[in-house]
Amino acid sequence: MSESVADTLMRATMMLGAAGIEGPERDARVLLAHVMEIDQASLMARMNDALPQSVLYGMDRVVAVRSLHQPVSHITGKRGFWNHEFLVNSDVLDPRPDTETLVAAALEQPFDNVLDLGTGSGAIIISLLDERPQAMGVATDISAKALDTARRNAGRIGVADRVKFTEANWFDGLSGQFDLIVSNPPYIAESEMASLAPEVRDWEPHLALTPGKDGLEAYRRIADGLKAALAPNGRAFFEIGYRQAVEVSEIFTNAGFTQLKVLPDLSGHDRVIALIAD
Ligand SMILES: C[S@@+](CC[C@H](N)C(=O)[O-])C[C@H]1O[C@@H](n2cnc3c(N)ncnc32)[C@H](O)[C@@H]1O
């Protein structure tokens, strides 16, 4: 028996809701558009169309995996960030809207060479280089698999010839100075991991989420190497957890940085530490 787009959306919404998925209607729409390989506006214009069996089977399959809390982005393979869609998978953190606060703040500064520590999908540095066609960059990650995804994103978005991807443990093995350094390091405390949403806890790489213990270890390691890597008058921007402003500011102050600011995200939460080399 054939089903219309509207029937299929209703059935998928009920199944996703019963599985405890938040926003089941929105997810049903995104997933059906993905299976039909059309955008959501076209989907809405085809509500009464009868769907072929192949689409119904495809939809059953993706609704089943979404019901296991696999993130929508892992099913569709992409996530929108700043001006582009980035390829994402279980090797990289899904780039988050909060991180756009860091990109916006960094873009208010002039820069010719940028270093992104813990680049993941490459979302930050690729967005920055895309906006500054004369700038060059270096992006590091300790995960070779994450770097593979970042390289593919750089190629798709057209900045591959201006960014070098390097496997590194924070600053280890890096040389040279940068007039802009950015990072969204893992910052969730070990004790908070169990309370994360299953989409995050069970599907995103733990290396990208937590450095262990109190969640501040990555900032300590970055603060240790920052003085040597930041050019005179250079700027650095670090994403933080919204309750970490005091502790992270103290880490960078103790490392000898005196010109520090905490910037809020769009919800008004402390989200970014911005500093200038003394
Ligand atoms: C929170 S994710 C951020 C990813 C991406 N920059 C973003 O904002 O979407 C942190 C990244 O840091 C990387 N990472 C974790 N430990 C690291 C280390 N010791 N050295 C370099 N990168 C590390 C992880 O693999 C992950 O890609």
Side-chain angles (χ1 to χ4, degrees):
M1 203 177 74
S2 77
E3 250 185 22
S4 68
V5 167
D7 296 335
T8 304
L9 284 178
M10 203 188 313
R11 193 164 58 86
T13 300
M14 280 171 51
M15 289 170 73
L16 293 170
I21 301 297
E22 276 181 34
E25 281 178 25
R26 176 203 57 216
D27 282 10
R29 281 196 305 274
V30 174
L31 292 174
L32 186 53
H34 168 67
V35 172
M36 292 173 71
E37 299 180 11
I38 58 176
D39 60 30
Q40 284 193 58
S42 310
L43 181 76
M44 300 319 276
R46 291 173 58 175
M47 278 296 172
N48 296 322
D49 284 13
L51 290 173
Q53 280 299 327
S54 57
V55 169
L56 296 177
Y57 288 142
M59 188 61 179
D60 284 349
R61 196 179 53 76
V62 297
V63 167
V65 286
R66 180 68 188 115
S67 297
L68 297 174
H69 292 264
Q70 182 168 21
V72 171
S73 60
H74 288 191
I75 298 170
T76 62
K78 45 193 194 231
R79 171 90 170 219
F81 181 84
W82 201 250
N83 288 334
H84 292 284
E85 285 210 313
F86 286 77
L87 301 176
V88 293
N89 51 49
S90 56
D91 297 324
V92 297
L93 187 92
D94 258 25
R96 307 290 208 269
D98 288 341
T99 306
E100 293 180 336
T101 301
L102 185 157
V103 171
L107 283 172
E108 285 177 16
Q109 308 300 327
F111 63 89
D112 292 322
N113 64 339
V114 49
L115 170 65
D116 179 15
L117 297 163
T119 198
S121 65
I124 297 175
I125 194 162
I126 291 169
S127 300
L128 292 174
L129 292 176
D130 183 49
E131 296 270 12
R132 290 283 180 279
Q134 84 296 347
M136 306 287 290
V138 173
T140 71
D141 207 290
I142 202 164
S143 159
K145 286 183 172 174
L147 288 169
D148 284 344
T149 301
R151 274 189 200 97
R152 287 167 62 206
N153 280 320
R156 281 163 54 97
I157 295 168
V159 302
D161 55 339
R162 291 188 288 123
V163 57
K164 183 175 164 222
F165 291 100
T166 306
E167 195 176 329
N169 184 356
W170 303 129
F171 288 106
D172 292 355
L174 290 186
S175 58
Q177 288 199 313
F178 300 85
D179 50 22
L180 175 65
I181 297 182
V182 291
S183 184
N184 172 20
Y187 55 67
I188 296 170
E190 211 171 333
S191 58
E192 289 174 2
M193 288 294 287
S195 58
L196 294 178
E199 279 81 353
V200 179
R201 186 191 60 222
D202 300 340
W203 296 91
E204 297 207 73
H206 281 201
L207 193 59
L209 297 171
T210 179
K213 298 186 188 156
D214 62 358
L216 301 173
E217 198 50 33
Y219 299 109
R220 295 187 185 105
R221 292 291 320 280
I222 291 171
D224 285 345
L226 190 60
K227 269 256 144 86
L230 200 54
N233 205 35
R235 318 284 160 131
F237 296 86
F238 302 109
E239 182 167 325
I240 56 168
Y242 73 101
R243 287 176 303 195
Q244 293 175 324
V246 171
E247 287 109 318
V248 179
S249 298
E250 201 175 284
I251 290 171
F252 286 104
T253 306
N254 290 342
F257 294 93
T258 59
Q259 303 182 69
L260 242 95
K261 257 205 270 182
V262 180
L263 310 177
D265 61 24
L266 290 176
S267 318
H269 293 127
D270 291 343
R271 186 58 63 195
V272 171
I273 298 280
L275 61 82
I276 306 178
D278 287 284

